[in-house]
Amino acid sequence: MIDPAKFTDEAVARLRTEVPGKAIIAASGGIDSTVAALLAERALGERVRAVFVDTGLLRAGEVERVSEFFRASGLRFDVLRAADRFFATLAGVEEPEEKRRRIGHAFVRLFEEEAERFGADRLVQGTIAPDWIESGGALRDTIKTHHNVGGIPSDMRLTLVEPLRDLYKDEVRALARHLGVPEAERQPFPGPGLAVRVGGPVTPERVRRARVANAVVEEEIERAVAAHTIPRPWQYFAVLLPVRTVGVLGDNRVHGEAVSVRVVESIDAMTATAMELPRAVLGRIAERITRELSKEVVRVLYDVTDKPPATIEWE
Ligand code: XMP
């Protein structure tokens, strides 16, 4: 475990040598990139600019929540609206690695444009150790290409700066607390967003379904945590599956979609355990998802697989 005060001093000194001019910061609203952004601001002041991209693949209320989170963390930032671009690049793509690659490229092209406007030649990212280890670094097989590692095009015009490269999640959380980031226990959300929680084609319609289902899971799990029914899980979300299934609504047959709910406990995301949930909590989640997505989603499953053999996200 790192000493947060010592790490901060060293990271600030390193950033000052690594960034001689200006830098853009890829800020996703997650803990990792927020901590990286705060270190960069501390080191470089007006020479950095944090950019948050609304990809159209975010959770319900995410833009507002992230903006509030940045303000409370004391970070200056700009919001870039780019949903059309992301849906266009994902059209017709179903293969998970190809989704990640295209999303990574779309992010980088946006950052390049922003950097050019700002006069920057560096891109600060919140990459942490598991991102590049699982993306095939350190002589390991590629588990999945994290968008901020393998999703980066080889002709990128910006030099990467990654102050948290060697840290694990629990260390980043300690650093976040040290830097005064509120709500440091917030669950992680993958950079490719709901695109990797929509199995099969990524359309605005299917992303909307995944968004509603994810909101239900978050609300019901947070309610159960607040009532001390369950401990706070590492991560809790819903995945829209690439299958059609038959349901019944009143007297009518409905050919709808299915959602899988995933709630896991973990320390650093390298391994995870599917959490045992009370039947009543699962029942409420299923009832709400099928009611709020009536005629669209007719079946809800609970994923009981640990990591390994499964990964946390489905794609
Ligand atoms: P997996 O699914 O590989 O996920 O077991 C481990 C942790 O990483 C998150 N994750 C990502 N985070 N970009 C990110 O920033 C990504 O491409 C990405 N893919 C997975 C996942 O939510 C889990 O917490």
Side-chain angles (χ1 to χ4, degrees), residues 70-178:
F70 286 159
R71 275 192 286 273
S73 304
L75 184 70
R76 289 173 297 123
F77 64 97
D78 290 321
V79 178
L80 264 184
R81 307 266 174 190
D84 290 352
R85 268 211 214 188
F86 281 86
F87 281 115
T89 191
L90 288 169
V93 179
E94 298 195 23
E95 208 281 311
E97 281 296 287
E98 184 62 15
K99 284 183 189 172
R100 289 170 170 274
R101 199 187 65 77
R102 291 198 186 207
I103 289 169
H105 281 221
F107 268 115
V108 167
R109 298 280 103 100
L110 272 169
F111 290 136
E112 284 176 341
E113 290 166 24
E114 279 307 293
E116 193 164 332
R117 259 193 284 281
F118 184 56
D121 60 358
R122 298 284 195 276
L123 178 67
V124 178
Q125 285 203 141
T127 312
I128 64 171
D131 298 347
W132 57 264
I133 293 173
E134 297 211 336
S135 293
L139 305 180
R140 305 233 328 207
D141 194 19
T142 299
I143 308 294
K144 57 183 79 168
T145 305
H146 283 220
H147 74 292
N148 51 350
V149 183
I152 291 191
S154 53
D155 63 348
M156 181 168 80
R157 297 196 297 272
L158 300 166
T159 305
L160 276 184
V161 178
E162 299 177 318
L164 310 179
R165 249 193 101 69
D166 297 323
L167 302 193
Y168 284 83
K169 202 78 179 191
D170 49 338
E171 297 176 314
V172 179
R173 286 191 163 147
L175 204 50
R177 282 189 290 272
H178 172 71

Side-chain angles (χ1 to χ4, degrees), residues 28 32 100 126 130-131 134-135 143-149 169 187-193 196-197 234-235 237 262 264 268-272 307 310-315:
S28 70
D32 305 345
R100 289 170 170 274
D131 298 347
E134 297 211 336
S135 293
I143 308 294
K144 57 183 79 168
T145 305
H146 283 220
H147 74 292
N148 51 350
V149 183
K169 202 78 179 191
Q187 67 159 331
F189 183 64
V196 292
R197 293 184 181 172
W234 163 271
Q235 220 168 354
F237 57 90
R262 185 122 172 94
V264 296
D268 57 10
M270 298 296 284
T271 60
K307 173 184 181 175
T311 52
I312 295 177
E313 303 287 346
W314 273 55
E315 294 199 333

